[in-house]
Amino acid sequence: MENEYIKFTIGKKKDIALIAHDNEKPKLIEWCKENYDILKNHNLYGTGTTARLIADKTGLTIKGYNSGPLGGDQQIGAKIVEGVINFVVFFSDPLTAQPHDPDVKALMRISQVYDIPMAVSKATADFMIHSEFMDKEYVHEVINFKKNIQERAESM
């Protein structure tokens, strides 16, 4: 099958979503402070309370969406699909049940579908933000969705 994949480029200036479950918010805020000099050079987005706390406690400029349980995770996922967000840092709480767990799983899935880097822990976020790719363009391949839709429509 020709053109099964298309190339996407993540630019030098990343569009980073910053998300954290309630018990992880202090850890993410501290991580943002530690990495302020890097993060200030990128476009930042976040879910409700997390975005507000990051802005208030670090001075970073961040566009806020709804809180996770009110659809914020889905809004971030939609921005990935639209090509707006291309990097996700999500400090999730693996030990506490979350009422919006299906939304979190959907966000993780869409990040995988679009081959978007996603950290779910501080260690992973540290490795990602200090990667050689952080300050340069990164070209990656994703499924050619238009071709996929065309072929599905033709087969029905």
Side-chain angles (χ1 to χ4, degrees):
M1 186 175 350
E2 278 185 47
N3 301 325
E4 190 172 339
Y5 293 92
I6 57 174
K7 292 184 186 286
F8 276 13
T9 301
I10 297 175
K12 286 183 179 182
K13 187 172 189 172
K14 309 295 185 267
D15 293 287
I16 305 170
L18 300 169
I19 309 165
H21 286 142
D22 288 348
N23 291 342
E24 299 293 314
K25 286 181 186 353
K27 192 184 296 182
L28 180 60
I29 291 164
E30 187 59 32
W31 183 84
C32 288
K33 288 178 182 177
E34 291 168 5
N35 293 288
Y36 178 90
D37 289 335
I38 296 170
L39 292 170
K40 71 180 182 181
N41 298 315
H42 300 280
N43 300 317
L44 306 178
Y45 307 84
T47 51
T49 309
T50 303
R52 174 70 185 268
L53 289 169
I54 289 170
D56 290 350
K57 296 186 181 285
T58 70
L60 288 164
T61 301
I62 180 169
K63 177 179 176 38
Y65 292 102
N66 289 346
S67 292
L70 299 177
D73 299 324
Q74 292 181 355
Q75 287 178 298
I76 297 289
K79 294 300 175 187
I80 290 170
V81 172
E82 293 170 12
V84 174
I85 292 175
N86 52 38
F87 192 106
V88 179
V89 175
F90 189 159
F91 282 19
S92 65
D93 181 352
L95 302 177
T96 304
Q98 302 295 328
H100 62 295
D101 193 52
D103 299 333
V104 173
K105 287 181 178 169
L107 176 59
M108 293 174 86
R109 181 185 166 280
I110 208 68
S111 294
Q112 286 180 299
V113 168
Y114 283 84
D115 195 30
I116 298 300
M118 181 176 195
V120 293
S121 68
K122 181 182 182 302
T124 310
D126 286 341
F127 272 78
M128 282 174 39
I129 202 165
H130 296 289
S131 160
E132 68 177 278
F133 299 112
M134 195 62 200
D135 61 356
K136 62 173 83 167
E137 287 187 347
Y138 178 78
V139 179
H140 59 125
E141 291 184 338
V142 299
I143 295 168
N144 185 340
F145 297 106
K146 288 182 182 178
K147 181 175 180 162
N148 182 276
I149 290 168
Q150 178 183 349
E151 289 173 355
R152 287 187 53 165
E154 289 171 357
S155 72
M156 293 185 169

